[in-house]
Amino acid sequence: MARTTVHLVRHGEVYNPKKILYGRMPGYHLSSRGNSMAVATSKFFRGRDVVYLAASPLERAQETARPIAEVTGCEVDTREDILEAGNTFEGLRTKGWRSQLINPIRWRHMTNPLEPSWGEPYAEIAARMKESILEWTAAAEGGDVIVVTHQLPIWMV
């Protein structure tokens, strides 16, 4: 049986001048640097036996997948199961001296960093990613699989 390789690709840099934790929020697109990252990443896959390309439905993942699709000739399969983790703090500034996390009203969401108490549990993210990866490797029959997703789902794998 041929070996399948699954490539987990994080989307490129996002244009986010206000430093908002955007999570699953729509409307966050790649920066010009992020577009360059996507093109550079696509070159890695030139000449490989890519049989499947999936991407999260969020704009930044779709924009990262587009040049990969051009290089590989694969259509992008948009998948909800590889979406960014849900997070109570979406829409807030969470970095720097203006971070909303120092506001005591938010502390009730920070009781358990191991779960985490502010969003989708890590175990659930890992389970949905594992299930998807097993599905892709079974269907790929030895070819390469590319999955354009987000940082936390990749960390959970």
Side-chain angles (χ1 to χ4, degrees), residues 5 7 43-51 71-72 143-144 146:
T5 301
H7 304 271
K43 292 176 183 175
F44 173 81
F45 298 109
R46 185 172 286 131
R48 297 185 74 97
D49 182 25
V50 178
V51 296
V71 165
T72 63
D144 285 18
I146 304 169

Side-chain angles (χ1 to χ4, degrees), residues 46-101:
R46 185 172 286 131
R48 297 185 74 97
D49 182 25
V50 178
V51 296
Y52 182 71
L53 171 60
S56 158
L58 296 172
E59 292 97 333
R60 56 196 181 267
Q62 292 289 314
E63 292 165 358
T64 301
R66 214 169 282 133
I68 298 171
E70 291 172 12
V71 165
T72 63
C74 292
E75 288 187 32
V76 179
D77 184 12
T78 301
R79 302 278 302 238
E80 294 283 334
D81 54 349
I82 58 175
L83 191 59
E84 177 65 285
N87 190 315
T88 302
F89 302 128
E90 284 178 9
L92 301 177
R93 184 182 177 108
T94 59
K95 294 183 180 177
W97 64 273
R98 292 176 40 199
S99 171
Q100 290 294 309
L101 299 183

